[in-house]
Amino acid sequence: MEPMSLLPSAPPDDLLPTAVLFDMDGTLVDTEPYWIEAEIELVRSHGGTWTEADALAMVGTGLEDAAAVFQRQGVRLGIREIVDGLLARVAARTRERVVYKEGAPELVAALRERGVPLALVTSSEAPLAEVVLDAFGGPGVFDVVVTGDLGHPAKPAPDPYRIGAAALTECVGRPLERAGMVAVEDSRTGIRSATAAGIFTVGVPNMVPLDDAGADLVLPSLAGVGPEDLGRIVAGARA
């Protein structure tokens, strides 16, 4: 399906998605500059070269997969040492200053108020996810949290979103139609993961263009997007 630039205008105003699954870094909060800063410092401290362009090419990559790339760039540390060091730095910077993506807090709050089941599906691990969850009001805001340290294949594999969708169904105690779910992503890797899991995917560019990334819909931001808008979007796609 070709990406679109405007919200569709059809069916009823009270229509809601069956669930919404959000990516975290670059989608809910703008942590990407913190990741880029940490990656550049890490590689350069081991005598290697790492640029912002290199970092942007890695957006959405699982942390252990990224750590293997840094090892090939000359970082003389183990995979877990690299991951834990980067996580600690980015979590600390995020705790100092949370930069919300435009419209994200309002959309999450509105979905929560309307009773739409919510999942956080991130390649980041628990230490950073906990900081972001606190910034959005605490762990209870999202019914399900899928982090990259749970042992499943990382994005772009469909596993994170499949796990999130299945866990939401279990959490609410009733069937949730996968075709009525919406995933919100800012990375090409994440879009591949969500679409492969059979979930309607809204791309919201952050630092990487998404027009040809395979999203079902591309929006410039989440500003002004409400629960009913997401309901109309996915219903229109199924019509």
Side-chain angles (χ1 to χ4, degrees), residues 91-115:
R93 295 280 278 121
T94 305
R95 193 175 290 107
E96 290 171 3
R97 181 170 181 260
V98 177
V99 180
Y100 296 97
K101 291 299 295 179
E102 186 180 25
E106 293 83 1
L107 177 57
V108 169
L111 288 163
R112 182 83 278 168
E113 183 178 345
R114 296 299 302 275

Side-chain angles (χ1 to χ4, degrees), residues 32-33 36 39 50-61 187-189 206-209:
E32 298 299 354
I36 292 171
E39 291 170 12
W50 194 252
T51 66
E52 182 172 330
D54 294 324
L56 290 176
M58 298 271 286
V59 169
T61 302
S187 76
R188 305 172 77 87
T189 301
N206 180 34
M207 303 188 80
V208 178

